[in-house]
Amino acid sequence: MDTASVDVAHAGMTGVAEYEAAFAHRRLRRDAFWRTIPAYADVDADTFHSHLFQARNSPTSLEGLREVLGGLVGPDFCEDLREGLSRAPMSIRISPYILSLIDWDDPYGDPLRTQFLPLASQQLPDHPELYLDSLNEQGDSPVPGLTHRYPDRALFLTLDTCPVYCRFCTRSYAVGLDTDGVEKVRLSANRKRWSLVFDYLRSRPEVEDVVVSGGDVYNLRAAQIREVGETLLDIPHIRRFRFATKGPAVMPGKILSDREWVDALVNVVNRGRRMHKEVVMHTHFNHPGEITGVTQDAMELLMERGVTVRNQAVLQRGVNDDPLTMRILVKRLSYLNIQPYYVFFHDLVQGVEDLRTTLRAGLEIEKSLRGATAGFNTPTFIVDTLGGGGKRDGHSYEHYDEETGIAVFASPTVRPGEHFLYFDPIDCLAPDIRQRWEDSEERQSMMEEALARAG
């Protein structure tokens, strides 16, 4: 249905505005949006969306970014960004696709800029209970780059690079280049390390499910996609695995232009289907503005070729923490046959406290989504608990004190008998409670009280 030609007389009692809002998720950009960027003003569509152009022209420094943007940003913004980067655990790498979708008339308020380019003026002090590997992935790693936390599934970090670097990356301990504040754990793509992972998986017959991630599998070569996929398929007890990539959200043209990579993925999916094993793609869209007509074309190609795609978003303040934005995102994903699977409450990550929301805010957004679309396209809002307790439904807390901002979760499958904490951002709490958080003894007292109330 072409919503541009909708007969608004059909709106009835709901009114024109409400009727138009009902179709907002179908309105996808197909204009030459990149031509507003000085460096891309003369680039044709086929060239711009090709994976080679995107990869080769992704700015990786502030100086490179300024060169691309020309006069779209002033010295004050650049200095703000320079200072923000000095405090961030992730370096710059941003695709021309995302860079062109940012509203450079309002870069301070733009939700896409917010995710990739840190501004010192918007950063908040880190939460006092934050530490670099907050989910304890390394602590649950029997071999380098494999996290085995849940009995029947494991996380395989195949490499430590991505097509873009998100400032909120929960794996900032390993992904990307070293920064002023973080010396990274190295998890490069190589057969020697991978062989240790495969040997471990062969030795653990209880493992049926593997997340193949990184870094980002978009950065694996086609031959590596085949090697990883076929090796996992050949392990008898592994019944399903997912290739995890943010690529469709930040560089969708690769799926249309990199035939060898897509063929490798599809061949693994098809071989798995013949073996009665499930191989799918998990991706990561956070805002409806990341989705364009090119995204639709890419997702339709994957659907035609039999690839199931699911989405895992992150709830972020100033990006998608309002019911309307989240509703459009969920419905737009569904419209493109991407299943909205999870929305994660934001992990405690260095330098991005300004992106986190309260637990209550997320639960209210989830409530507003119920009934907006089919149940199987309605995501579950998930807390990945601190210290390695694993994923818990946000509603399943044992105790939540909205005054102190402390939630307590149990993890009966992963760590039976233990409790795990999650914290609201301190700046969202009352002034007297913020003062208590500044005192280490008071902080410990509040956490102990919360754990006691959780039983």
Side-chain angles (χ1 to χ4, degrees):
M1 180 177 183
D2 181 1
T3 58
S5 61
V6 165
D7 181 358
V8 294
H10 294 167
M13 296 300 292
T14 61
V16 173
E18 290 83 354
Y19 191 73
E20 283 294 303
F23 294 97
H25 64 284
R26 300 187 188 179
R27 291 193 282 271
L28 302 175
R29 295 188 67 169
R30 289 192 175 272
D31 60 312
F33 54 84
W34 62 91
R35 290 188 168 163
T36 62
I37 305 298
Y40 312 143
D42 298 322
V43 180
D44 64 86
D46 288 343
T47 300
F48 180 80
H49 290 298
S50 73
H51 64 288
L52 295 177
F53 180 90
Q54 291 287 316
R56 292 170 181 171
N57 292 277
S58 295
T60 57
S61 67
L62 177 55
E63 290 69 28
L65 183 67
R66 290 182 68 172
E67 185 176 342
V68 169
L69 295 177
L72 293 181
V73 294
D76 290 345
F77 177 88
C78 291
E79 185 55 36
D80 203 354
L81 177 56
R82 186 184 302 279
E83 179 62 25
L85 286 167
S86 72
R87 307 175 189 175
M90 299 299 292
S91 54
I92 286 182
R93 185 174 181 85
I94 184 168
S95 66
Y97 175 82
I98 288 293
L99 197 62
S100 302
L101 289 172
I102 292 171
D103 179 3
W104 290 104
D105 289 332
D106 179 26
Y108 280 85
D110 187 84
L112 275 63
R113 191 284 309 159
T114 299
Q115 299 178 65
F116 298 101
L117 301 174
L119 299 178
S121 62
Q122 296 181 345
Q123 290 173 317
L124 296 170
D126 289 335
H127 195 283
E129 290 298 309
L130 176 148
Y131 50 96
L132 191 58
D133 182 11
S134 64
L135 303 183
N136 194 38
E137 290 185 342
Q138 295 179 88
D140 287 328
S141 293
V143 295
L146 184 81
T147 298
H148 187 190
R149 173 172 297 149
Y150 305 96
D152 70 340
R153 52 203 184 278
L155 167 68
F156 179 15
L157 305 181
T158 55
L159 76 171
D160 55 15
T161 63
C162 300
V164 301
Y165 292 139
C166 308
R167 55 179 290 237
F168 54 90
C169 181
T170 195
R171 295 196 184 105
S172 54
Y173 67 86
V175 173
L177 302 174
D178 292 343
T179 64
D180 291 345
V182 180
E183 184 176 347
K184 306 298 176 87
V185 175
R186 297 299 172 206
L187 296 173
S188 59
N190 67 76
R191 282 195 172 94
K192 183 177 181 181
R193 185 175 68 83
W194 288 3
S195 67
L196 297 175
V197 170
F198 295 137
D199 287 345
Y200 177 84
L201 292 173
R202 291 185 188 99
S203 74
R204 302 304 295 256
E206 72 273 24
V207 176
E208 298 180 352
D209 189 329
V210 179
V211 180
V212 183
S213 186
D216 194 309
V217 300
Y218 233 46
N219 278 15
L220 292 177
R221 298 189 302 274
Q224 293 172 318
I225 291 287
R226 287 192 296 270
E227 179 179 352
V228 170
E230 292 179 0
T231 304
L232 291 175
L233 287 174
D234 287 339
I235 299 175
H237 51 268
I238 292 180
R239 302 293 300 164
R240 55 196 173 272
F241 58 91
R242 334 126 195 213
F243 286 108
T245 173
K246 192 173 176 65
V250 298
M251 201 181 289
K254 178 180 174 72
I255 293 169
L256 301 170
S257 63
D258 193 346
R259 181 174 178 175
E260 185 183 7
W261 191 91
V262 174
D263 284 348
L265 173 69
V266 170
N267 289 341
V268 173
V269 170
N270 289 341
R271 183 176 177 226
R273 187 176 294 111
R274 291 192 298 271
M275 298 173 71
H276 305 150
K277 295 187 176 188
E278 182 186 57
V279 182
V280 303
M281 175 186 283
H282 278 202
T283 191
H284 180 186
F285 291 88
N286 286 329
H287 190 273
E290 299 162 5
I291 303 172
T292 67
V294 178
T295 320
Q296 182 177 30
D297 295 343
M299 294 301 99
E300 288 179 350
L301 184 148
L302 290 181
M303 188 176 193
E304 288 173 11
R305 302 197 65 182
V307 180
T308 296
V309 184
R310 304 184 188 121
N311 191 71
Q312 298 183 150
V314 177
L315 183 65
Q316 296 178 317
R317 204 181 339 176
V319 174
N320 57 18
D321 64 328
D322 66 274
L324 179 58
T325 300
M326 189 62 74
R327 179 177 295 197
I328 294 174
L329 174 63
V330 166
K331 289 180 70 67
R332 188 165 288 179
L333 290 168
S334 304
Y335 189 63
L336 270 56
N337 295 303
I338 303 171
Q339 182 185 7
Y341 175 42
Y342 279 161
V343 173
F344 283 100
F345 285 89
H346 207 299
D347 296 331
L348 269 69
V349 175
Q350 181 179 326
V352 293
E353 189 70 357
D354 56 293
L355 292 182
R356 296 203 309 117
T357 68
T358 65
L359 181 60
R360 175 57 57 201
L363 297 181
E364 290 300 317
I365 293 172
E366 182 182 34
K367 184 188 298 183
S368 76
L369 281 179
R370 292 290 164 189
T373 190
F376 60 83
N377 275 335
T378 303
T380 303
F381 281 53
I382 294 291
V383 173
D384 211 342
T385 55
L386 296 174
K391 300 176 182 67
R392 311 303 299 163
D393 186 313
H395 292 277
S396 69
Y397 54 80
E398 306 298 314
H399 171 73
Y400 176 34
D401 187 336
E402 295 184 48
E403 183 178 339
T404 63
I406 301 174
V408 184
F409 292 84
S411 186
T413 302
V414 177
R415 305 266 284 275
E418 296 186 42
H419 285 110
F420 298 86
L421 301 175
Y422 184 77
F423 305 105
D424 288 343
I426 291 175
D427 72 295
C428 295
L429 307 177
D432 59 320
I433 301 298
R434 293 185 211 174
Q435 290 183 345
R436 292 187 68 189
W437 274 103
E438 292 177 1
D439 185 301
S440 59
E441 291 185 1
E442 283 291 303
R443 183 161 72 243
Q444 188 63 34
S445 174
M446 288 189 291
M447 290 189 288
E448 290 175 355
E449 181 179 357
L451 288 166
R453 290 186 176 181

